[in-house]
Amino acid sequence: RFSGIAETNAKVTLWQQEQLIQQTSVPAGPFDIDSPSVGGYGGDYTMEIEEADGRKRVFIIPNSAAPLILNKSVVKYEVDIGKINQASLTRSPYFIQANLFYGLTENYTLYSGTQFAYHYKGIALGNAVNTPLGGVALTGNFSEDKRIKRNKTKTGSRINLSYSKYLRDTQTSINASMERMLSGNYQALTQLNEDQGRFGYGIYPVIKQRLSLSIGQPITESFSVNLTASTYRYENRSASYHYSLSMNKKFTLFSLGAVLSRSQTSQGEN
C-alpha cells in the first residue's frame, strides 16, 4: 500500500527500477493506492506527486522484496519459443517455455514454469515471500530426458533457495542462493546435448550443490564495488571455490571497470 497527501487535485506516478508501475489521479487530501497494477521488478519504489500547479514531490519507498514478488491478485505470464545456439551443443534444439506468476498477497507470490524440447521436458514450482528481513524465494525443478541412443529415460530434481536484501541506509545490496540436486540426475535445458555430461557420462562434472553470495556497495555516486563468492560441489570430483571483486567508475561520457578473481579447483589455483 502506498499512502500520501495531495495538496491539490494531483497526478501520482509509481516507478520501480525505471519501469512505470502505475499512474493515477487523486483528489486533494490523503490518498491510498492499495495494489499497483503491475510490479515485481525488485528494488525500491519511487512515488512522484505532481500537483495541479505543476509542483512535483518525489518520495523513495524502500522495498527489499525479491524481484519475483508481485502485488496482490496480479497475474504475470511469459511465453518464449526459440532455438538454443551454444558452441558446446552438438545440435541446436528448438524449445518452448512458459512461466506463470500470481500474487497471492502483497508479500507472497506463487509461480510455475514448463520447458519442452526434443526428448526433454522440465517443470518448476516455487514461491517467494517478502519479510522484514528480506526477500526469500524457494523453487523446485524437475527434468526428464528421453535419450534414443541409450534407450532410457533419465529424471532428476533440484531445489533452489535465494535471498535478497537491500539496506537503504548504506545502499548495500545482498544476494545469496543455494542450489542442490535432490534426486536422480537433474539436467537443465541448455545442457541437453552436452554429450550427456550432466549425467556423468561425458567430460562435464555433475554439480550436486552450489552456494553463492554477492554484496554490492556504492562508495560514491559514481564509484561502486561488488564482491562475489561461490562454491561448487560435484558428484565425483573435489569442490571448487571462486572469488571475485569488481569495481566500476562512471564518468560523464564513459565508465571504467576492473575485476580481480581467484579460483581454486581440482586442477589447482588461478
Side-chain angles (χ1 to χ4, degrees), residues 72 101-102 111 122 139 158 167 173 189 207 228 232 237-238 240 258:
K72 183 179 180 180
F101 305 84
Y102 176 69
Y111 53 90
T139 308
R158 73 175 181 185
L167 304 176
S173 60
L189 176 61
I207 299 176
T228 301
Y232 294 81
R237 190 171 174 178
S238 300
S240 63

Side-chain angles (χ1 to χ4, degrees), residues 137-198:
L138 179 65
T139 308
N141 299 85
F142 170 83
S143 72
E144 180 182 272
D145 178 34
K146 297 180 179 180
R147 295 172 293 167
I148 297 178
K149 290 183 178 180
R150 294 182 179 274
N151 194 28
K152 60 173 143 179
T153 299
K154 283 287 186 178
T155 61
S157 59
R158 73 175 181 185
I159 191 171
N160 183 284
L161 177 66
S162 62
Y163 169 82
S164 65
K165 175 67 175 178
Y166 178 73
L167 304 176
R168 176 161 173 74
D169 292 341
T170 59
Q171 296 184 321
T172 305
S173 60
I174 303 172
N175 293 278
S177 67
M178 184 277 291
E179 180 181 293
R180 182 176 179 81
M181 188 178 295
L182 295 180
S183 63
N185 296 278
Y186 178 80
Q187 185 180 36
L189 176 61
T190 54
Q191 297 157 330
L192 186 57
N193 294 323
E194 289 184 344
D195 193 25
Q196 283 75 50
R198 186 65 168 174

Side-chain angles (χ1 to χ4, degrees), residues 78-98:
E78 305 167 341
V79 178
D80 299 290
I81 300 175
K83 184 179 182 181
I84 300 176
N85 290 309
Q86 287 185 196
S88 60
L89 298 181
T90 56
R91 71 172 186 268
S92 300
Y94 289 93
F95 73 93
I96 180 172
Q97 66 180 22

Side-chain angles (χ1 to χ4, degrees), residues 213-239:
L213 173 66
S214 176
I215 301 176
Q217 179 64 60
I219 306 302
T220 66
E221 290 186 359
S222 60
F223 181 70
S224 62
V225 297
N226 187 277
L227 176 65
T228 301
S230 60
T231 177
Y232 294 81
R233 297 189 180 277
Y234 306 95
E235 190 173 63
N236 298 307
R237 190 171 174 178
S238 300

